Amino acid sequence: MSDTPAPVPPALAPGSTVGILGGGQLGRMLSQAASRLGFDVVILDPEENSPAGRVSRGQIVAAYDDPTALNVFGRVCDVVTFEFENVPARSVELLAEAGARVAPGPRALAVAQDRILEKTFLNEAGAPTVEFAMVDDLASLETALQVIPLPALLKTRREGYDGKGQVWIKTLIQAADAWAAIGERPAVLEARALFVRELSIICARGWDGKTAVYPLGWNTHKGGVLKTTVAPAEVEPKTERRARAIARAVLEQLDYVGVLGIELFDLGDGRLLVNEIAPRVHNTGHWTQDGCVCDQFEQHIRAITGWPLGPTAAHAHVEMTNLLGDEIDQWQKLAGKSDMRLHLYGKGEARPGRKMAHVNRVRPL
Amino acid sequence: MSDTPAPVPPALAPGSTVGILGGGQLGRMLSQAASRLGFDVVILDPEENSPAGRVSRGQIVAAYDDPTALNVFGRVCDVVTFEFENVPARSVELLAEAGARVAPGPRALAVAQDRILEKTFLNEAGAPTVEFAMVDDLASLETALQVIPLPALLKTRREGYDGKGQVWIKTLIQAADAWAAIGERPAVLEARALFVRELSIICARGWDGKTAVYPLGWNTHKGGVLKTTVAPAEVEPKTERRARAIARAVLEQLDYVGVLGIELFDLGDGRLLVNEIAPRVHNTGHWTQDGCVCDQFEQHIRAITGWPLGPTAAHAHVEMTNLLGDEIDQWQKLAGKSDMRLHLYGKGEARPGRKMAHVNRVRPL
């Protein structure tokens, strides 16, 4: 590209303020990592006393698109980041106008917020995805079903996570029901990936363009929600190389700053397809807290504050398990296991399916 | 003893509130450990926005002996602990009256606050100290100087840390000056220990009487202030056994709950003398953050909340270095070293000698 590269901003000194939009468990663990490096942290979240707010210097209690709140937030923070990808574009503009460095930037958020943009970007970046087709109405869904082999997965273009906002179409006569089931919203129809397992790779890039990539994790899901990550995953060297090349291409072509998670389908023949990218710290990277010297949370804080990236090698083998809803009631049993590291999120109500905590079972490599 | 043992209180569930008296770096790292286990944390400290307050759910800004503040604090907290040993005995009573579990208990604090009580206790517990004599006035100092060989160290009985409140007496004619130098306060005269190095041992005990002991650290000081700890220290097995026996005896005979640090003089011939005990997490235990699966901060939180104690084996070799005053200006260089783990305390002003941060240099065992 002929654009002049943006100047590399100087590293933020300890005592600077890091802002995090979103006060859930990811914001909480980011806040803890930032504190360890001597930063002050302020959270913006509509829920009072959010999990992240309770471990931070302060919290602004406001909606994510509240212009006044964003102006104050952008002025008190030296850098602002996000714990989720569905940040309104206008909010990012307001933060930048208020004087905060913002990372990751608007392009990464725009790409990750829209499944059509995301898949188009990935394929152009040389990171293949499943076949897909754009769906805007029932007619275009029927056209798409001529191209994408059945069974196919209909997903809303925007929002939806942990298996929400998506429905499988197994026969053509299910098209109208599926269209109704996703709320008749703009969508993408995806071919089924014939994968043998799901992998993910957590990677980071700084303002200076340097990158850092963690070993692969092997993920299992239950009811559409991540259940376990085992890392470092046992993979062929060529699979590892391929995943790292995808990670570097995505980071560079998004001109990305921060930690990014990439979910991959391992087709079992050396090929990898990208399922989706998350422009943030990622549940499948929680194993790094007890498997690496510098975990994904500290890595993200280092990247966005302009600090040198930390090392990514694993020093232990980790099996991460999410505790959902009342599984948190096992805390006492788990606390007694000497190879088990507990990470609780400080959430009050253990609603069914709610992510309450995770545990890392650690053993020597 | 014929006393009925106190009943073991049930483990506090996640979501319970841990109170910490003192908002410095030890309180900050205790708070972070408590948050990781899902506890809410409230700090009591007279300094607004203390290092610990900034990473906690809340802070009560009040003096450590403010009865109203202590009553509120004791009522909102399920358990209260301390980051320093000079807690007024009356404060502990007020907290207990307000309904909080308090750990460590009043006996450990009383012993650690008074160098005569401490040394008497230690010798009775089978943990030898240097020879010492009580000094209440110039006359008793002169009597003591007949018994304790020169050079001898005159220390105030209470308070004083990091080399403050103490003066060496090399010849008898210095007695009056030394007595004036420590402010003519009740004191102890200590014989010089002919030690080859200073060691320390960090240990913990739960409400159920179970104990956990970390490997020894080897400490060096500069200007009376801890500079480095190297751990696990290379020691003879019999030295390790002796230190562990001392740790267990001290914990048990104080009926202690929480983490306790013990400073030792290694006489080089297998003998160990106890220099002092600290009824709290200890600067010489910071290496455990990057050398052990369960560090001293989490261990203390586990002990006082009635959780099972965590493992204490080292999985790495660590050299901990304190950064004092403007040594913190090296942050950027240190952040770029991949074997260096940074722990910054979020303190604003880098006054000379002030503990601003520590770094743990980690290498495989």
Side-chain angles (χ1 to χ4, degrees):
Chain A
M1 286 190 290
S2 63
D3 299 337
T4 308
V8 176
L12 292 176
S16 304
T17 298
V18 172
I20 303 170
L21 208 75
Q25 68 270 15
L26 299 180
R28 179 178 172 100
M29 293 183 279
L30 283 170
S31 176
Q32 291 166 324
S35 303
R36 213 162 53 223
L37 300 182
F39 294 109
D40 274 352
V41 181
V42 178
I43 305 296
L44 190 149
D45 191 294
E47 180 206 341
E48 261 185 90
N49 279 316
S50 65
R54 277 185 293 193
V55 301
S56 300
R57 169 102 186 237
Q59 179 179 333
I60 296 174
V61 180
Y64 298 127
D65 58 0
D66 179 323
T68 309
L70 288 163
N71 182 267
V72 172
F73 192 52
R75 282 188 290 118
V76 300
C77 296
D78 297 292
V79 62
V80 171
T81 191
F82 317 101
E83 67 151 12
F84 59 94
E85 54 268 48
N86 291 314
V87 179
R90 180 68 190 135
S91 299
V92 176
E93 285 168 26
L94 287 166
L95 291 168
E97 284 167 15
R101 202 186 286 186
V102 179
R107 175 154 147 73
L109 291 171
V111 164
Q113 283 174 11
D114 181 313
R115 291 192 170 83
I116 299 285
L117 285 187
E118 184 182 17
K119 285 185 163 54
T120 305
F121 160 76
L122 287 166
N123 283 292
E124 284 173 6
T129 67
V130 292
E131 281 180 87
F132 67 97
M134 189 156 45
V135 172
D136 287 321
D137 49 29
L138 191 52
S140 58
L141 174 55
E142 279 166 359
T143 308
L145 285 165
Q146 307 301 316
V147 183
I148 307 296
L150 292 179
L153 188 56
L154 185 67
K155 285 182 181 172
T156 55
R157 264 182 82 152
R158 302 179 68 90
E159 294 161 357
Y161 63 94
D162 287 350
K164 295 179 184 103
Q166 51 181 265
V167 57
W168 281 99
I169 299 179
K170 288 173 193 160
T171 63
L172 291 176
I173 55 163
Q174 293 175 324
D177 286 350
W179 178 242
I182 64 156
E184 304 190 348
R185 285 185 289 166
V188 56
L189 187 69
E190 297 181 2
R192 180 169 61 163
L194 292 170
F195 60 88
V196 294
R197 59 179 176 171
E198 292 184 53
L199 300 172
S200 61
I201 192 156
I202 306 294
C203 53
R205 185 169 175 273
W207 294 95
D208 59 3
K210 289 192 178 141
T211 59
V213 184
Y214 288 93
L216 283 158
W218 164 44
N219 308 313
T220 62
H221 291 75
K222 196 172 157 186
V225 180
L226 181 71
K227 189 63 200 165
T228 67
T229 300
V230 174
E234 282 182 35
V235 292
E236 300 284 327
K238 71 171 179 184
T239 304
E240 185 90 34
R241 280 197 303 273
R242 181 78 192 109
R244 296 174 79 88
I246 289 172
R248 294 224 161 77
V250 169
L251 290 170
E252 277 158 26
Q253 293 185 38
L254 286 176
D255 195 20
Y256 194 82
V257 174
V259 160
L260 179 132
I262 303 177
E263 296 179 15
L264 299 161
F265 294 134
D266 178 0
L267 302 189
D269 57 3
R271 285 183 301 154
L272 294 173
L273 300 181
V274 177
N275 180 29
E276 62 177 42
I277 60 175
R280 54 172 169 79
V281 289
H282 197 247
N283 197 165
T284 67
H286 290 1
W287 71 272
T288 59
Q289 292 178 306
D290 297 297
C292 300
V293 159
C294 176
D295 69 26
Q296 65 165 349
F297 301 101
E298 178 173 329
Q299 195 72 276
H300 186 72
I301 298 298
R302 283 174 169 261
I304 66 171
T305 57
W307 285 37
L309 297 181
T312 53
H315 61 69
H317 182 277
V318 179
E319 182 176 336
M320 190 287 307
T321 304
N322 277 334
L323 299 185
L324 307 178
D326 62 10
E327 289 171 354
I328 190 66
D329 297 343
Q330 302 169 46
W331 64 269
Q332 202 157 3
K333 192 185 75 186
L334 294 167
K337 300 194 183 223
S338 65
D339 58 351
M340 207 64 99
R341 305 295 304 141
L342 278 70
H343 301 267
L344 280 79
Y345 307 151
K347 295 182 182 176
E349 201 193 338
R351 291 192 295 272
R354 193 179 194 198
K355 289 179 179 170
M356 300 299 290
H358 68 273
V359 291
N360 282 333
R361 185 174 191 169
V362 182
R363 55 184 173 80
L365 274 184
Chain B
M1 287 190 291
S2 63
D3 298 338
T4 308
V8 175
L12 292 177
S16 303
T17 298
V18 172
I20 303 169
L21 209 73
Q25 68 270 15
L26 299 181
R28 180 178 172 99
M29 292 183 278
L30 283 169
S31 175
Q32 290 166 325
S35 302
R36 213 162 52 224
L37 300 181
F39 294 110
D40 273 351
V41 180
V42 179
I43 305 295
L44 191 149
D45 191 293
E47 180 205 340
E48 260 184 271
N49 278 318
S50 65
R54 276 185 292 192
V55 301
S56 299
R57 169 100 185 237
Q59 180 180 333
I60 296 174
V61 180
Y64 298 129
D65 57 359
D66 178 324
T68 310
L70 288 163
N71 183 268
V72 172
F73 192 51
R75 282 187 289 117
V76 299
C77 296
D78 298 291
V79 63
V80 170
T81 190
F82 318 101
E83 66 151 13
F84 59 94
E85 53 269 48
N86 291 315
V87 179
R90 180 68 189 134
S91 298
V92 176
E93 284 169 26
L94 286 167
L95 290 169
E97 284 167 15
R101 201 187 286 187
V102 180
R107 176 154 148 73
L109 291 170
V111 164
Q113 283 173 10
D114 183 312
R115 291 192 170 83
I116 301 283
L117 286 188
E118 184 183 18
K119 286 185 162 52
T120 307
F121 160 76
L122 286 166
N123 284 292
E124 285 173 5
T129 66
V130 292
E131 282 181 87
F132 67 99
M134 188 154 45
V135 173
D136 287 322
D137 48 30
L138 191 52
S140 59
L141 174 56
E142 279 164 1
T143 309
L145 286 164
Q146 309 300 316
V147 184
I148 307 296
L150 291 179
L153 187 57
L154 185 66
K155 285 182 181 172
T156 55
R157 264 183 83 152
R158 304 178 68 88
E159 295 159 358
Y161 63 96
D162 287 349
K164 296 180 183 105
Q166 51 182 266
V167 57
W168 281 99
I169 300 179
K170 289 172 192 163
T171 65
L172 290 176
I173 57 164
Q174 294 175 323
D177 286 349
W179 178 241
I182 65 156
E184 304 189 348
R185 286 184 290 165
V188 58
L189 186 71
E190 297 182 3
R192 180 169 61 164
L194 292 170
F195 60 90
V196 294
R197 59 177 176 172
E198 292 185 53
L199 300 171
S200 61
I201 192 157
I202 306 296
C203 53
R205 185 169 176 273
W207 295 96
D208 58 3
K210 289 193 179 142
T211 60
V213 184
Y214 288 93
L216 283 159
W218 164 43
N219 308 313
T220 63
H221 291 74
K222 197 173 158 184
V225 180
L226 181 71
K227 188 63 200 164
T228 67
T229 300
V230 174
E234 282 181 35
V235 292
E236 299 283 326
K238 72 172 177 184
T239 303
E240 184 90 34
R241 280 196 303 273
R242 181 77 192 108
R244 297 175 77 88
I246 288 172
R248 292 227 161 76
V250 169
L251 290 170
E252 275 158 26
Q253 293 185 39
L254 286 175
D255 195 19
Y256 195 81
V257 174
V259 160
L260 178 131
I262 304 177
E263 296 180 15
L264 299 162
F265 293 134
D266 178 1
L267 302 189
D269 57 2
R271 283 183 303 154
L272 293 172
L273 299 181
V274 177
N275 179 30
E276 63 177 43
I277 60 175
R280 54 172 168 79
V281 288
H282 197 248
N283 197 166
T284 68
H286 290 0
W287 70 272
T288 60
Q289 291 177 306
D290 297 296
C292 299
V293 159
C294 176
D295 69 26
Q296 66 166 347
F297 301 99
E298 178 173 329
Q299 193 73 276
H300 186 71
I301 298 299
R302 283 174 170 262
I304 67 171
T305 58
W307 284 37
L309 297 181
T312 54
H315 61 69
H317 182 278
V318 178
E319 181 176 336
M320 190 287 306
T321 304
N322 277 334
L323 300 186
L324 307 178
D326 62 11
E327 289 171 352
I328 189 67
D329 297 342
Q330 303 168 49
W331 64 269
Q332 202 157 4
K333 192 185 76 187
L334 295 166
K337 299 192 185 231
S338 65
D339 57 351
M340 207 66 98
R341 305 295 303 141
L342 279 69
H343 301 267
L344 280 79
Y345 306 153
K347 295 181 181 176
E349 202 193 338
R351 292 192 294 272
R354 191 178 196 200
K355 290 180 179 170
M356 300 299 291
H358 67 273
V359 290
N360 282 333
R361 185 175 191 169
V362 183
R363 55 185 174 79
L365 273 184

Coordinates of all heavy atoms in Angstrom, one line a residue, chain B residues 21 44 62-71 73-74 80 82 84 86-100 102 106 109 113:
Chain B
L21 N -7.0 -4.5 56.1 CA -6.6 -3.3 56.8 C -5.2 -3.0 56.3 O -4.2 -3.7 56.4 CB -6.5 -3.6 58.3 CG -6.7 -2.4 59.3 CD1 -8.2 -2.1 59.3 CD2 -6.3 -2.8 60.7
L44 N -9.5 -0.9 54.2 CA -9.5 0.3 55.1 C -8.1 0.9 55.2 O -7.1 0.2 55.5 CB -10.0 -0.2 56.5 CG -10.3 1.0 57.4 CD1 -11.4 0.6 58.4 CD2 -9.1 1.5 58.2
A62 N -10.2 5.9 56.4 CA -10.3 6.2 57.8 C -9.0 5.7 58.5 O -8.3 4.9 58.0 CB -11.5 5.6 58.5
A63 N -8.8 6.3 59.7 CA -7.6 5.8 60.5 C -7.9 4.4 61.0 O -9.0 3.9 61.1 CB -7.5 6.7 61.7
Y64 N -6.8 3.7 61.2 CA -6.8 2.3 61.6 C -7.4 2.0 63.0 O -7.7 0.9 63.3 CB -5.4 1.6 61.5 CG -4.8 1.7 60.2 CD1 -3.5 2.2 60.0 CD2 -5.5 1.2 59.1 CE1 -3.0 2.2 58.7 CE2 -5.0 1.2 57.8 CZ -3.7 1.7 57.6 OH -3.1 1.7 56.4
D65 N -7.6 3.1 63.7 CA -8.2 3.0 65.1 C -9.5 3.7 65.2 O -10.0 4.0 66.3 CB -7.2 3.4 66.1 CG -6.8 4.9 65.9 OD1 -7.2 5.5 64.9 OD2 -6.0 5.4 66.7
D66 N -10.1 4.1 64.0 CA -11.4 4.8 64.0 C -12.5 3.9 64.4 O -12.9 3.0 63.6 CB -11.6 5.5 62.6 CG -12.9 6.2 62.5 OD1 -13.9 5.8 63.1 OD2 -12.9 7.2 61.8
P67 N -13.2 4.0 65.6 CA -14.1 3.0 66.0 C -15.3 2.9 65.1 O -15.8 1.8 64.8 CB -14.6 3.5 67.4 CG -13.6 4.5 67.8 CD -13.0 5.1 66.5
T68 N -15.8 4.0 64.5 CA -17.0 3.9 63.7 C -16.6 3.2 62.4 O -17.4 2.4 61.9 CB -17.5 5.4 63.3 OG1 -17.6 6.1 64.6 CG2 -18.8 5.3 62.6
A69 N -15.5 3.6 61.8 CA -15.1 3.0 60.6 C -14.8 1.5 60.7 O -15.2 0.7 59.9 CB -13.8 3.6 60.1
L70 N -14.2 1.1 61.9 CA -14.0 -0.3 62.1 C -15.3 -1.1 62.3 O -15.4 -2.2 61.9 CB -13.1 -0.5 63.4 CG -11.6 0.0 63.1 CD1 -10.9 0.2 64.5 CD2 -10.9 -1.1 62.3
N71 N -16.3 -0.4 62.9 CA -17.6 -1.1 63.0 C -18.2 -1.4 61.7 O -18.7 -2.5 61.4 CB -18.5 -0.3 63.9 CG -19.8 -0.9 64.2 OD1 -20.8 -0.7 63.4 ND2 -19.8 -1.8 65.2
F73 N -16.7 -1.5 58.8 CA -15.7 -2.4 58.1 C -16.0 -3.9 58.6 O -16.2 -4.8 57.8 CB -14.3 -2.0 58.4 CG -13.2 -2.6 57.6 CD1 -13.3 -2.7 56.2 CD2 -12.1 -3.2 58.2 CE1 -12.3 -3.2 55.5 CE2 -11.1 -3.8 57.5 CZ -11.2 -3.8 56.1
G74 N -16.1 -4.0 59.9 CA -16.3 -5.4 60.4 C -17.7 -5.9 60.1 O -17.9 -7.2 60.0
V80 N -11.6 -10.4 58.0 CA -10.7 -9.2 57.9 C -9.3 -9.7 58.2 O -9.1 -10.5 59.1 CB -11.1 -8.1 58.9 CG1 -10.0 -7.0 59.0 CG2 -12.4 -7.5 58.6
F82 N -4.8 -8.3 57.6 CA -4.0 -7.1 57.7 C -2.8 -7.2 56.7 O -2.3 -8.3 56.5 CB -3.4 -7.0 59.1 CG -4.5 -7.3 60.2 CD1 -4.5 -8.6 60.8 CD2 -5.4 -6.4 60.5 CE1 -5.5 -8.9 61.7 CE2 -6.4 -6.7 61.4 CZ -6.5 -7.9 62.0
F84 N -0.1 -5.3 57.5 CA 1.0 -5.0 58.4 C 0.7 -5.4 59.8 O -0.4 -5.7 60.1 CB 1.2 -3.4 58.4 CG 0.0 -2.6 58.8 CD1 -0.1 -2.2 60.1 CD2 -1.0 -2.3 57.9 CE1 -1.2 -1.5 60.6 CE2 -2.1 -1.6 58.3 CZ -2.2 -1.2 59.6
N86 N 1.5 -3.9 62.8 CA 1.2 -2.9 63.9 C -0.2 -2.5 64.0 O -0.5 -1.3 64.1 CB 2.2 -1.7 63.8 CG 3.6 -2.2 64.0 OD1 3.9 -2.9 65.0 ND2 4.6 -1.8 63.2
V87 N -1.1 -3.4 64.0 CA -2.5 -3.2 64.1 C -2.9 -3.0 65.6 O -2.5 -3.9 66.4 CB -3.3 -4.3 63.6 CG1 -4.8 -4.1 63.7 CG2 -2.9 -4.6 62.1
P88 N -3.5 -1.9 66.0 CA -3.9 -1.7 67.4 C -4.7 -2.9 67.9 O -5.7 -3.3 67.2 CB -4.7 -0.4 67.4 CG -4.3 0.3 66.1 CD -3.9 -0.7 65.1
A89 N -4.4 -3.4 69.1 CA -5.2 -4.5 69.6 C -6.7 -4.2 69.7 O -7.6 -5.0 69.5 CB -4.6 -4.9 71.0
R90 N -7.0 -2.9 70.1 CA -8.4 -2.5 70.2 C -9.1 -2.5 68.9 O -10.3 -2.8 68.9 CB -8.4 -1.0 70.8 CG -9.8 -0.4 71.0 CD -10.5 -1.1 72.1 NE -11.9 -0.7 72.2 CZ -13.0 -1.5 72.3 NH1 -12.8 -2.8 72.4 NH2 -14.2 -1.0 72.3
S91 N -8.4 -2.3 67.8 CA -9.0 -2.4 66.5 C -9.5 -3.8 66.2 O -10.5 -4.0 65.6 CB -8.0 -1.9 65.4 OG -7.7 -0.6 65.6
V92 N -8.6 -4.8 66.5 CA -9.0 -6.2 66.3 C -10.2 -6.5 67.1 O -11.1 -7.2 66.6 CB -7.8 -7.1 66.7 CG1 -8.1 -8.5 66.5 CG2 -6.6 -6.7 65.8
E93 N -10.3 -6.1 68.4 CA -11.5 -6.3 69.2 C -12.7 -5.8 68.6 O -13.8 -6.4 68.5 CB -11.3 -5.7 70.6 CG -10.3 -6.4 71.5 CD -10.0 -5.6 72.7 OE1 -10.8 -4.7 73.1 OE2 -8.9 -5.7 73.3
L94 N -12.6 -4.5 68.1 CA -13.8 -3.9 67.5 C -14.3 -4.6 66.2 O -15.5 -4.7 66.0 CB -13.4 -2.4 67.1 CG -13.3 -1.4 68.3 CD1 -12.6 -0.1 67.8 CD2 -14.7 -1.2 68.9
L95 N -13.3 -5.1 65.4 CA -13.7 -5.9 64.2 C -14.4 -7.1 64.6 O -15.4 -7.5 64.0 CB -12.4 -6.2 63.4 CG -11.8 -5.0 62.7 CD1 -10.4 -5.3 62.2 CD2 -12.7 -4.4 61.6
A96 N -13.9 -7.8 65.6 CA -14.5 -9.1 66.0 C -15.9 -8.8 66.6 O -16.9 -9.5 66.3 CB -13.6 -9.8 67.1
E97 N -16.0 -7.7 67.4 CA -17.3 -7.4 67.9 C -18.3 -7.0 66.8 O -19.5 -7.3 67.0 CB -17.2 -6.1 68.9 CG -16.6 -6.5 70.2 CD -16.2 -5.2 71.0 OE1 -16.6 -4.1 70.6 OE2 -15.4 -5.4 72.0
A98 N -17.8 -6.5 65.7 CA -18.7 -6.1 64.6 C -19.1 -7.4 63.8 O -20.0 -7.3 62.9 CB -18.1 -5.1 63.7
G99 N -18.6 -8.5 64.1 CA -19.0 -9.8 63.5 C -18.1 -10.4 62.5 O -18.4 -11.4 61.9
A100 N -16.9 -9.8 62.3 CA -16.0 -10.3 61.2 C -15.1 -11.4 61.9 O -14.7 -11.2 63.0 CB -15.2 -9.2 60.7
V102 N -11.6 -12.7 62.1 CA -10.3 -11.9 62.0 C -9.1 -12.9 62.0 O -9.1 -13.8 62.9 CB -10.2 -10.9 63.2 CG1 -8.9 -10.1 63.0 CG2 -11.3 -9.9 63.2
P106 N -5.3 -12.0 67.5 CA -4.7 -11.0 68.4 C -3.4 -11.5 69.0 O -2.4 -10.7 69.2 CB -5.7 -10.8 69.5 CG -6.8 -11.8 69.3 CD -6.7 -12.3 68.0
L109 N -0.5 -11.1 66.5 CA -0.2 -9.6 66.4 C 0.6 -9.1 67.6 O 1.6 -8.4 67.4 CB -1.4 -8.8 66.2 CG -2.2 -9.1 64.8 CD1 -3.5 -8.4 64.8 CD2 -1.3 -8.6 63.6
Q113 N 4.4 -7.6 67.5 CA 4.5 -6.2 67.7 C 5.6 -5.8 68.7 O 5.9 -4.6 68.9 CB 3.2 -5.6 68.1 CG 2.2 -5.4 67.0 CD 0.8 -5.0 67.5 OE1 0.6 -4.6 68.6 NE2 -0.2 -5.1 66.6

